[in-house]
Structures are given as C-alpha cells and as structure tokens.
Amino acid sequence: MPNPTLALYIDRLEGPLGQRIYAALRNAILDITFEPGMILRKGALCEQLGVSRSPVSEALGRLSSDGLVDIIPQSATRVSQFSLVELREESFLREAVEVAAVVKVAAERTEDQLTRLTRNLRLQELLIDDKDFQGFFEADVEFHELILGFTGFPKVVAAAGQMSLQLRRARMLLLPEEGRPAEALAEHHSILNAIRAKDPAAAGQAVSMHLGQLIERIVPLQRQHPGYFRPS
Amino acid sequence: MPNPTLALYIDRLEGPLGQRIYAALRNAILDITFEPGMILRKGALCEQLGVSRSPVSEALGRLSSDGLVDIIPQSATRVSQFSLVELREESFLREAVEVAAVVKVAAERTEDQLTRLTRNLRLQELLIDDKDFQGFFEADVEFHELILGFTGFPKVVAAAGQMSLQLRRARMLLLPEEGRPAEALAEHHSILNAIRAKDPAAAGQAVSMHLGQLIERIVPLQRQHPGYFRPS
DNA sequence: TTCTGTCAACTAACATGCCAGTTGGAGGCG
DNA sequence: CGCCTCCAACTGGCATGTTAGTTGACAGAA
C-alpha cells in the first residue's frame, strides 16, 4: 500500500534528491509507517516518488548502514525487525553517553543553562495538565537534547540519536500509560535538581534511573507485536 | 598519485563491489594513505579500480555519512580534515562508552575473561621487550576491544569504533614516543587490577585516565600538520 | 501425499549516457 | 595594475539500459 504522503514530503525539502529520499524513508521507518519486516521494493518506491532508481538506491544504502533496513543481496530489502539484544545494547550506549553528559553538565552548568532547563520543565507541567501527550513527548525529547547540547559538543546530540535509532523506533509502540508522564516529569525534576545543586554523581544516578525504565517498558512489546521482532 | 594497492585490495575481498570499495577507501583514509584535504576524483578512482561510477558513488556516500569525506555538491569531494572540537567530542563519547563498559565488566567479570585479559597483557609485555611497537599497537587495540566485548553486547565494540573514527585516524600521526608504550602498559595493568578486584569505580577511573592521555597527545599535532586540520 | 528438480519472473548490482551546477582562469574594462 | 565578467572545462547528481543471482511455484517422480 503506497504512501502518497512520501512524495509530498520530499518535495518540501531541499538539497540532493538522494538525501531527501533518505530522510523521508528514515522518518517513515522510525514512526512505524513502514512496519518492521515490510519488504521495500525499489521499483515501487521509484514509481511512487516519481524518481529513478539511483537516488533510491543511495538512500537504501545509507539506511542499511544505519541498521534500519536489511538488504539481502540480489534478492530483496526489508525494513529491519527489532531485536531485544540490540535494543538492550542501544540502551546501554545511550545511558553511557547521557550519564557522561549530565555528569559534565552538572559540574559546569551556567545560570543560563539552568534557566532553559527550568523553562522546559515548566512547559512539561503545562502540557501534562492539558493532557497534550504528543506535546509532552516532544518536550521530553528536547529536555534530553538540551542536556546533551550543554556539554559544549554540538555533535553529541546527533551521535546520541544515531546510536539509539531502534530505541526511538520501539518507543513509538509504547501505548500512553496512565500516570507515566507524571512519573517521567518527577524523574526530570530530580535530574534538574541535581544539576542545580552541582552534584554530578546524583545527576548521573538520576539519569541512569530515568533511562533504565524505558527498556523495561519496551521488553513486553515482544509479546504484543511478535511480528515486529526478529525470530531468535 | 594513484595507489595501485587499492585495486589489488578490492580483489581480495568478497561481497558486493560497493562494499569492497567502501572498505578499501575507508582503510586508505584511516591510515592516512589518502591525506586529509586530498581531493577524490570519481573518474580517476573508477579508472584505477577498473569499475564504473555506481559502486564508487555508493562508497563515497557512506564515507560521507561516516564523516570521513566531505562532498561538496556539484563540485568536488575531498577527504575530510581534522577538527579539534570534533576530536574532543569523539574522545568524550569514546570515554563515556568505554568507562561504562569497564564498570559493567568489572562488576560481572568471569575467571575466563580475567584470563584472556591477563594473557593479552603478557603479550603486550613481550612485544615491548622486543620493541615491536606495531605489534604492541595491535595488542593495545585488542585489549580495549576485549573489555568492550565482555559487556555481552557484541555490537558495542563496533559502535565504539564507529564513533571514534577521526580519533583512530589522528592516532596514526602520533610518532612513537620513547617510554610511552611502557606507560600505556602500566595504565592497562591498573585497569586490569581494578577488574580483578571487582572494583567498578576504580576501573572506570583507570580507563578515564588512560583515554585522557590520547587527546592530550593529539592536540599538539595541529602545529605539526597544519594542512591536515580544518582552518577554524 | 510429499519431496525434489527445474524454470520463469523478479530483484539488486553494475555500467553508461546525460544534465545542471560550480569553479577557476582568461580576457576585457576601469 | 587591479578588478570584474564571462566562458569553458570539469565535477557530482540523476536517469536508464544491462547483467547476474535469488526465490518461489509448479510439475513430475517416489
């Protein structure tokens, strides 16, 4: 079932066609528009997008090295399935980087950084009160990205995202649980408090706790969506 | 100046042509056979390798997303230059992951893992005695990869390598300093001792110290090889 | 009914032709 | 003498034709 949205999407972007197609397919995979295990036919994609096979091949090649698609030589290419060990791996990497980041930030934080984090948390509170869970999700992501960016290493936020692509995709499957946003907010507060207190150890601990619960909530997904997971 | 070794190299590998070319170019860039800033001409590469432009384009695209080449659209593609902030960033990421790994490993280590690490360190001692610095270099890399692998997450070692490509490349420029291998060996010993003692905190500290050395030795390279660094 | 061998249709991989954007230098103008 | 303009050659991006490998279904034998 072709997705006409794709063709519109690549027209809105600019830059080389290959990169636009890469971005479009990547987004489609990450938000489960393209389901794990789904077979991607080059010819069909070209027809839907109205382009030739060259830029599509380039895009698929990059997605392959991202681990988002599996290319079976001379045969087919399909959207990669989840693997629990891989998800645990990404969780480990993500936690390693984010803990290191918050430790550094907690030690060196400026007043301005504190202000921006506080402002973000205020926003989170408002969004929860309004039950705008989509908005909360985005503010949540931004909170983490702010901390990563405050390390002074601009590419760290990109690297952290790149190393947890599967995690981000699996997160889309999580149903909004009653009370979970409030819990997350409380965890964010304890992170911010440790940063405010310039207590690196406590900040690292708080981030570790916060991230650790994500993988716990992801594990049961294997039962709910067995087709999305690699038979192992 | 074409490198005839390349053509031979890709013949020895197997798999899709694009991947072989990617691997060949990647190696050439990482060991400075292709110098930072050097312009890569697609046509010339195709002629040297005896292939068409398709697989070369694919390879260059992947190298671009690795950050090893910069593609200037419609103009040229060149081997990326070093950037000190980027190198510091990679050092930060590398340290974050490797510290997290050794903390986990120190807590959970088995006797077998201890044996393999000890054996590796013995080898390092022998190689230093024989003044085989190339061999020591490889044993050094293996020591770190062993620890990363002992996390139980097979892809962590690959991820750690992927996130510190520039660091690995810059390392090639370091001249062998008198007494540095012996220092490194001593640092490896303190890491191993902490792992043996099941002391995660000490192990993390030791790894952090050890990795901190590398970036300190890389910083002065900007003076020795100004052409290899991005003008900033 | 089940297993196996064969073959046709489909796929990704590769080669090649074409086009548009960039660049650097030559030549003219101030 | 210096600066600006313009043009030609070269580059990477895209389209398309061709090839080789895989797969799955169908037919025939056990």
Side-chain angles (χ1 to χ4, degrees), chain A residues 26-34 36 82 87 134 137 141 164-176 214 217-218 221 224-225 228:
Chain A
R26 188 174 185 270
N27 287 340
I29 293 173
L30 284 176
D31 57 26
I32 319 283
T33 303
F34 287 174
F82 292 116
L87 288 168
Q134 177 61 28
F137 181 83
V141 170
S164 54
L165 284 175
Q166 305 290 349
L167 219 48
R168 170 174 164 189
R169 183 160 64 127
R171 198 178 184 179
M172 295 298 295
L173 299 178
L174 289 175
L175 302 175
L214 178 58
R217 289 165 64 219
I218 285 177
L221 290 175
Q224 296 172 36
H225 304 274
Y228 287 177

Side-chain angles (χ1 to χ4, degrees), chain B:
Chain B
M1 182 180 64
N3 188 337
T5 311
L6 273 185
L8 296 176
Y9 182 75
I10 68 168
D11 287 338
R12 293 204 187 122
L13 296 175
E14 54 184 9
L17 199 49
Q19 286 189 28
R20 282 183 281 167
I21 295 174
Y22 167 74
L25 294 178
R26 189 172 183 270
N27 287 340
I29 293 173
L30 285 177
D31 56 27
I32 319 285
T33 303
F34 287 173
E35 304 187 0
M38 173 180 171
I39 290 181
L40 294 178
R41 270 174 294 245
K42 248 184 210 178
L45 282 175
C46 296
E47 201 173 347
Q48 293 171 37
L49 297 174
V51 301
S52 82
R53 304 191 304 262
S54 299
V56 174
S57 293
E58 181 196 329
L60 289 176
R62 292 180 62 180
L63 290 171
S64 169
S65 59
D66 287 345
L68 292 179
V69 304
D70 292 332
I71 296 181
I72 302 142
Q74 312 294 347
S75 171
T77 130
R78 54 175 59 206
V79 178
S80 69
Q81 294 177 297
F82 292 116
S83 144
L84 220 47
V85 298
E86 198 176 352
L87 287 168
R88 288 189 195 278
E89 247 177 60
E90 289 194 355
S91 182
F92 174 81
L93 289 169
R94 174 89 193 189
E95 182 177 324
V97 170
E98 207 152 335
V99 166
V102 82
V103 164
K104 178 173 164 65
V105 169
E108 306 171 351
R109 70 166 183 72
T110 67
E111 286 300 320
D112 178 60
Q113 292 172 349
L114 212 54
T115 304
R116 292 178 63 186
L117 288 173
T118 306
R119 192 183 306 152
N120 175 282
L121 274 200
R122 288 261 174 77
L123 177 61
Q124 291 184 28
E125 290 171 6
L126 293 178
L127 292 168
I128 287 182
D129 288 343
D130 291 353
K131 303 207 186 306
D132 180 354
F133 297 122
Q134 177 59 29
F136 174 76
F137 181 83
E138 291 168 11
D140 185 346
V141 170
E142 194 193 353
F143 179 75
H144 289 265
E145 288 182 353
L146 278 174
I147 293 176
L148 290 169
F150 288 164
T151 56
F153 298 131
K155 271 182 52 186
V156 161
V157 43
Q162 187 71 15
M163 73 178 57
S164 54
L165 285 176
Q166 304 289 349
L167 220 48
R168 170 174 164 189
R169 183 160 65 126
R171 198 178 184 178
M172 296 297 295
L173 299 178
L174 289 175
L175 303 176
E177 290 176 39
E178 184 69 30
R180 174 59 206 161
E183 273 180 37
L185 177 63
E187 290 162 10
H188 289 164
H189 264 120
S190 60
I191 294 170
L192 177 56
N193 286 336
I195 294 175
R196 181 180 292 117
K198 291 199 176 185
D199 186 341
Q205 189 77 7
V207 166
S208 183
M209 291 288 176
H210 178 53
L211 293 179
Q213 298 280 334
L214 179 58
I215 186 72
E216 294 305 323
R217 289 166 63 220
I218 284 177
V219 170
L221 289 176
Q222 192 166 19
R223 294 173 175 275
Q224 296 171 35
H225 304 275
Y228 286 179
F229 283 77
R230 198 169 309 170
S232 57

Side-chain angles (χ1 to χ4, degrees), chain A residues 88-96, chain B residues 97 100-101 104 151 153 156:
Chain A
R88 288 190 196 277
E89 244 177 63
E90 289 194 354
S91 182
F92 174 80
L93 290 170
R94 174 89 195 190
E95 183 177 324
Chain B
V97 170
K104 178 173 164 65
T151 56
F153 298 131
V156 161

